[in-house]
Amino acid sequence: MELLKEANALFQNADYTVATFEKLVELQNRAVGVEVTRIGDLIEAFLTQAPLDVVMEITKPNPKSPLSGWGL
C-alpha cells in the first residue's frame, strides 16, 4: 500500500503537470492488486481536473513518450 499512499499524496498536492501525471502512471505500473485500480482512479480524477492544456499535452501523439500507450 506504500505506492497507493505515495500516489494519494501526489494527487492531493497535484500541480497538474505532465510530470505529475507521468509519476502517477509510473506508480500504477509498479503497483499490484487493488493498488493498480485505486491508482487508476486517481489518474482518471487527475485527467478530469487538469487544465485543458495539460490534458492536450498528455494525449498528444509522441511515440518516444512513455505515455504513448495511453491512446487518449
Side-chain angles (χ1 to χ4, degrees), residues 30-53:
R30 291 177 27 214
V32 293
V34 72
E35 277 189 313
V36 175
T37 303
R38 291 188 179 163
I39 294 172
D41 292 342
L42 292 175
I43 290 170
E44 200 173 300
F46 179 95
L47 288 171
T48 61
Q49 295 175 24
L52 183 58
D53 62 320

Side-chain angles (χ1 to χ4, degrees), residues 53-63 65 67-68 71-72:
D53 62 320
V54 173
V55 175
M56 289 179 66
E57 183 66 28
I58 290 168
T59 59
K60 181 172 64 173
N62 180 354
S65 169
L67 305 175
S68 63
L72 300 173

